[in-house]
């Protein structure tokens, strides 16, 4: 109940801020359109007539969320298969690198936003369990000839270890019920201890403040209508000292690779979408949405503007993908 009230209050505050930004965008502008200070969205003189991009198409803001929802509803069943086909399996390596850099320890709580099929959450739980096993093995090796004090300490700490594993939680939050449905089906086959599945909007997360140690969003933030608001929500739900990590397609740094990547993206990926998923248009949108997303430095600035510190990024595969991270202090 308290969380719902807070969510309502935040929505009222957000709407008032957007109205202020629309009126105070700064200076005279052309009739019908001026640019907000940091959002990159076209703001009409008429309230509620703001527009944004849906791929290369300009659409009203209110319409984008519905169309993005439809895209992922259409592709949910074939989403994992298409990820393997489009990236030739390299997306698995990118996600493994994310977990390696994250290096979560037992007891950590993860929120994975736009993570419907559970790829990051499954990796997280496996990684934490392997860390737990390594810790136990080290403890055994260091206590080959224990004193009675060591034995006593081990017995008192045994529940602590088990609690550490039990307290390692991953919450998968996605606005799309079909994507979550696919993730839950995978979890049923793999074991789902420590995993929770929540329907929620990245711009209005249904969680209290200061709840999570790590926030991840992999290949999802470019589909959010208001990226700045999603970043502010990420900051809000993280505990002090918590880490934000975002894996997203970015700008290729090598000119030759960039030309090859563009040719492959526009000529092959929609075809794969049609052949494998029976959906050309959704994958055409996904390709276009990558080109509309800010480059590495611009997105780094947005994360800093949201209030994160020590923001860095790593280019993967020549900048095809970038891993951004920052901390809440």
């Amino acid at each position: 109940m308290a969380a719902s009230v807070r969510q309502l209050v935040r929505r009222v505050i957000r709407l008032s801020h957007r109205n202020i930004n629309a009126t105070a965008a700064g200076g005279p502008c052309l009739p019908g359109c001026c640019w907000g200070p940091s959002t990159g969205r076209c703001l009409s003189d008429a309230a509620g007539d703001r527009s944004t991009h849906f791929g290369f198409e300009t659409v009203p803001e209110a319409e984008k969320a519905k169309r993005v929802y439809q895209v992922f509803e259409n592709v949910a069943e074939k989403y994992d298969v298409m990820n393997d086909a489009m990236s030739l399996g390299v997306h698995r390596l990118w996600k493994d690198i994310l977990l390696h850099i994250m290096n979560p320890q037992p007891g950590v709580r993860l929120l994975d936003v736009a993570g419907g099929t559970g790829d990051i959450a499954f990796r997280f739980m496996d990684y934490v369990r392997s860390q737990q096993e390594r810790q136990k093995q080290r403890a055994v090796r260091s206590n080959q000839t224990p004193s009675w004090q060591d034995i006593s300490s081990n017995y008192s700490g045994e529940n602590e270890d088990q609690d550490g594993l039990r307290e390692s939680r991953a919450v998968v939050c996605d606005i799309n019920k079909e994507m979550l449905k696919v993730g839950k089906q995978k979890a049923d086959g793999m074991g789902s201890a420590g995993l929770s599945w929540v329907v929620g909007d990245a711009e209005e997360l249904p969680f209290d403040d200061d709840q999570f140690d790590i926030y991840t969003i992999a290949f999802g933030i470019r589909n959010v209508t208001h990226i700045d608001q999603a970043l502010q929500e990420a900051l809000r739900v993280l505990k002090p000292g918590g880490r934000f990590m975002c894996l997203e397609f970015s700008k290729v740094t090598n000119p030759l690779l960039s030309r090859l990547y563009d040719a492959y993206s526009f000529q092959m990926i929609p075809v794969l979408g049609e052949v494998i998923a029976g959906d050309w248009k959704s994958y055409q949108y996904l390709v276009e949405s990558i080109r509309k997303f800010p480059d590495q430095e611009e997105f780094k600035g947005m994360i800093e503007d949201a209030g994160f510190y020590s923001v860095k990024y790593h280019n993967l595969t020549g900048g095809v993908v970038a891993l951004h991270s920052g901390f809440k202090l």
Side-chain angles (χ1 to χ4, degrees):
M1 180 65 180
S4 301
V5 172
R6 277 191 287 272
Q7 192 171 344
L8 179 60
V9 170
R10 287 197 301 271
R11 182 179 297 178
V12 171
I13 293 172
R14 184 179 312 118
L15 289 174
S16 66
H17 283 175
R18 286 180 189 169
N19 289 337
I20 291 169
N21 287 338
T23 355
C29 54
L30 294 175
C33 183
C34 57
W35 293 96
S38 62
T39 60
R41 298 190 297 276
C42 184
L43 304 179
S44 169
D45 291 337
D49 197 25
R50 290 183 291 270
S51 61
T52 186
H53 62 81
F54 177 79
F56 291 160
E57 186 181 352
T58 300
V59 298
E61 280 190 356
E63 185 181 329
K64 177 174 179 175
K66 297 176 184 176
R67 294 182 66 170
V68 169
Y69 189 98
Q70 186 66 51
V71 164
F72 285 94
E73 189 174 52
N74 292 345
V75 305
E77 289 293 333
K78 298 291 184 178
Y79 184 77
D80 290 331
V81 175
M82 276 298 296
N83 279 346
D84 281 332
M86 289 187 299
S87 70
L88 305 178
V90 180
H91 77 101
R92 297 173 181 267
L93 176 61
W94 295 330
K95 292 167 183 174
D96 288 342
I97 291 171
L98 167 65
L99 264 295
H100 177 73
I101 292 175
M102 183 194 301
N103 191 28
Q105 299 300 307
V108 165
R109 295 194 175 190
L110 169 77
L111 173 63
D112 183 36
V113 175
T117 60
D119 264 8
I120 301 300
F122 292 133
R123 281 173 167 79
F124 169 82
M125 296 305 297
D126 287 344
Y127 194 101
V128 167
R129 289 189 185 103
S130 67
Q131 291 287 77
Q132 185 85 6
E133 287 304 313
R134 280 194 287 269
Q135 288 180 10
K136 288 180 179 178
Q137 289 169 10
R138 284 196 295 268
V140 168
R141 285 195 297 268
S142 65
N143 289 297
Q144 293 298 321
T145 55
S147 65
W148 70 267
Q149 291 97 336
D150 293 330
I151 294 172
S152 176
S153 297
N154 286 341
Y155 274 112
S156 64
E158 187 176 347
N159 289 335
E160 205 169 68
D161 285 343
Q162 290 173 354
D163 288 342
L165 181 59
R166 194 161 54 243
E167 286 298 317
S168 295
R169 300 283 184 184
V171 177
V172 181
C173 180
D174 200 298
I175 199 170
N176 195 293
K177 294 179 181 178
E178 289 302 312
M179 293 287 283
L180 286 174
K181 179 181 175 183
V182 172
K184 288 178 182 178
Q185 288 171 350
K186 288 168 61 178
D188 290 342
M190 299 168 63
S192 56
L195 285 177
S196 302
W197 307 84
V198 176
V199 176
D201 186 345
E203 296 183 30
E204 294 185 47
L205 293 171
F207 308 107
D208 287 336
D209 300 353
D210 307 329
Q211 292 294 304
F212 299 95
D213 301 290
I214 303 169
Y215 172 113
T216 54
I217 183 166
F219 307 113
I221 202 163
R222 75 181 189 280
N223 299 306
V224 172
T225 305
H226 306 109
I227 294 173
D228 52 351
Q229 180 58 35
L231 292 172
Q232 289 165 17
E233 281 290 273
L235 185 74
R236 179 183 67 78
V237 300
L238 279 171
K239 298 175 183 178
R243 191 174 192 181
F244 167 86
M245 303 188 78
C246 176
L247 197 61
E248 187 54 87
F249 291 106
S250 197
K251 297 297 181 286
V252 177
T253 52
N254 181 285
L256 176 59
L257 178 59
S258 179
R259 287 195 293 271
L260 292 172
Y261 177 54
D262 281 346
Y264 174 75
S265 297
F266 287 100
Q267 295 176 25
M268 289 300 299
I269 288 179
V271 174
L272 288 172
E274 180 65 29
V275 171
I276 296 174
D279 191 339
W280 178 295
K281 289 184 178 180
S282 292
Y283 285 95
Q284 182 71 29
Y285 156 73
L286 292 175
V287 170
E288 293 175 356
S289 68
I290 294 169
R291 272 59 184 187
K292 300 296 291 184
F293 190 70
D295 65 22
Q296 290 89 327
E297 283 294 329
E298 185 180 352
F299 187 48
K300 176 186 175 186
M302 294 176 71
I303 298 169
E304 290 171 336
D305 289 344
F308 288 98
Y309 290 85
S310 190
V311 179
K312 299 177 182 177
Y313 65 84
H314 302 272
N315 281 332
L316 309 178
T317 319
V320 171
V321 165
L323 171 58
H324 284 76
S325 69
F327 292 89
K328 174 180 177 176
L329 299 183

